[in-house]
Amino acid sequence: MKQFTLTLLLLIGLTEFTYAQNFYARRRDRNWALSAGIGQSIYVGELYTPLFDKSAGFTPNVGVGLRRKITDQLSVRFDINYYQIAAADSLAAQASFTLGGGDQENDSRNERNLSFRSHNFEFSSQFIFNLIPIDGPYSYRPDVNIYAIAGIGVTTNNPRGLDIASGNMVNLRKLNTEALEEPYSGLALVIPLGMGIRIKANQFTDIVLEGTGRITFNDYLDDASTLYPSEQEVRDYHVANGTGLADLAARMYDRAPEKGFGEREKGSIRGNPEYNDYYFFFQVRLEMYLSDTAFGGIFASKKTARRLR
């Protein structure tokens, strides 16, 4: 984080120095802005619930974005984020929260002993609505502006787990640990929603603080969603499909024996399909306004492009 702060200050100073003497650059509007930043991610699902669990569950993320101004309050941003999410039943609070309810078997997450880690890429388009309109060119923007975010995107989804027997991290999606007819998809639709604060650092640069959540329409970010199958059902799937992963899948679908607990019976609760998984980003970004010539020649007419040059 210290290195990022130093880099941030260096880039702000560089842009200020580069354009300090350029009077026309200050007057001309800049409709494109490039951003990059780092932050922390947090997952919420069957293996982690912030209200009950001991671990904060934060993991790193990095992202880049390209924003285009549409009106004095509305813009659209195209984002690419690399992020990690992770959780483990061993970090769950043991006293107060258990899965299940009604006439179903209560299954302590500590006994369930599932865990995962996932390294994902997310691609999204996001609409950004400024609280304060920006009348005139970008240089007239306020020193501080709050904005709302809503969009749509897609994320990769390949949770991995540690195989104690081999000491290797293995792809849980390929193991089909709940013996589904077909393994869940390696991609998931996401809806980013959130808020941000844009702080003017100098004429051409903003510091952005952003918090966003993702509605995922997916309950397998953590590889747990429904009920335990039998070990035979897990093996039969891999034998029928010739994956060669039957023994590994049999070890990974039920992790309770690793902690000395009995094997989970078929139909025991492994997850809760009524609620999808979520994840959240908290990021600090540096956003730099690009000159008209950066993209003007691509989208403008030939006459306008010549004028911009």
Side-chain angles (χ1 to χ4, degrees):
M1 191 65 182
K2 183 178 180 180
Q3 291 179 340
F4 174 75
T5 302
L6 293 175
T7 303
L8 186 69
L9 293 174
L10 178 62
L11 289 174
I12 290 172
L14 181 62
T15 55
E16 183 71 14
F17 174 79
T18 302
Y19 295 103
Q21 304 302 321
N22 193 332
F23 173 74
Y24 292 102
R26 293 173 181 270
R27 296 188 59 189
R28 187 184 299 136
D29 199 9
R30 297 188 171 201
N31 294 315
W32 293 92
L34 180 67
S35 64
I38 63 173
Q40 294 286 297
S41 312
I42 187 169
Y43 139 92
V44 177
E46 277 84 355
L47 275 66
Y48 179 72
T49 306
L51 294 179
F52 298 97
D53 293 342
K54 299 174 182 177
S55 170
F58 286 101
T59 45
N61 65 56
V62 296
V64 294
L66 183 64
R67 182 169 63 88
R68 166 71 179 178
K69 178 182 175 182
I70 299 176
T71 70
D72 58 358
Q73 283 186 280
L74 183 66
S75 59
V76 62
R77 189 175 74 193
F78 305 97
D79 258 18
I80 301 175
N81 286 288
Y82 168 79
Y83 68 98
Q84 298 180 28
I85 51 176
D89 283 339
S90 60
L91 299 175
Q94 300 177 27
S96 60
F97 185 73
T98 55
L99 287 171
D103 59 356
Q104 292 181 308
E105 175 187 358
N106 284 333
D107 186 6
S108 165
R109 288 182 297 162
N110 184 51
E111 295 183 13
R112 185 179 59 177
N113 194 36
L114 296 179
S115 62
F116 83 100
R117 177 173 291 274
S118 190
H119 299 244
N120 296 325
F121 284 94
E122 179 197 87
F123 307 87
S124 67
S125 298
Q126 303 173 11
F127 287 102
I128 296 176
F129 186 81
N130 293 321
L131 180 64
I132 303 174
I134 303 173
D135 296 322
Y138 79 105
S139 57
Y140 291 7
R141 69 192 187 278
D143 290 337
V144 178
N145 208 344
I146 298 174
Y147 58 89
I149 300 172
I152 189 169
V154 63
T155 181
T156 59
N157 180 36
N158 287 288
R160 301 173 68 85
L162 177 63
D163 174 28
I164 300 297
S166 66
N168 297 325
M169 295 294 290
V170 297
N171 188 317
L172 297 174
R173 182 176 67 87
K174 292 183 178 180
L175 297 182
N176 196 11
T177 55
E178 293 186 357
L180 306 173
E181 291 186 9
E182 293 291 338
Y184 52 86
S185 175
L187 298 174
L189 181 70
V190 298
I191 303 294
L193 297 170
M195 299 288 292
I197 300 175
R198 187 176 292 109
I199 303 169
K200 186 177 180 180
N202 63 31
Q203 188 71 18
F204 308 97
T205 311
D206 290 341
I207 297 173
V208 178
L209 308 176
E210 205 169 88
T212 52
R214 267 65 175 174
I215 300 173
T216 66
F217 304 102
N218 185 294
D219 194 33
Y220 279 104
L221 296 184
D222 48 21
D223 193 59
S225 178
T226 59
L227 306 176
Y228 280 94
S230 67
E231 179 180 333
Q232 190 60 50
E233 287 174 324
V234 173
R235 289 183 176 278
D236 286 347
Y237 168 82
H238 290 282
V239 171
N241 289 275
T243 65
L245 300 173
D247 290 340
L248 177 59
R251 291 198 302 270
M252 298 299 293
Y253 93 101
D254 181 6
R255 311 297 299 276
E258 293 176 9
K259 298 192 73 172
F261 297 106
E263 296 180 0
R264 306 292 92 175
E265 295 182 1
K266 176 181 177 180
S268 297
I269 294 173
R270 197 170 189 269
N272 186 350
E274 294 183 6
Y275 299 97
N276 290 326
D277 299 329
Y278 300 87
Y279 61 96
F280 298 82
F281 285 171
F282 303 94
Q283 288 186 333
V284 179
R285 290 190 175 210
L286 181 67
E287 187 170 64
M288 294 167 285
Y289 290 83
L290 304 177
S291 66
D292 294 334
T293 54
F295 293 98
I298 299 176
F299 297 100
S301 64
K302 291 183 179 180
K303 181 178 179 181
T304 303
R306 285 194 299 270
R307 177 174 58 79
L308 291 174
R309 288 196 294 268

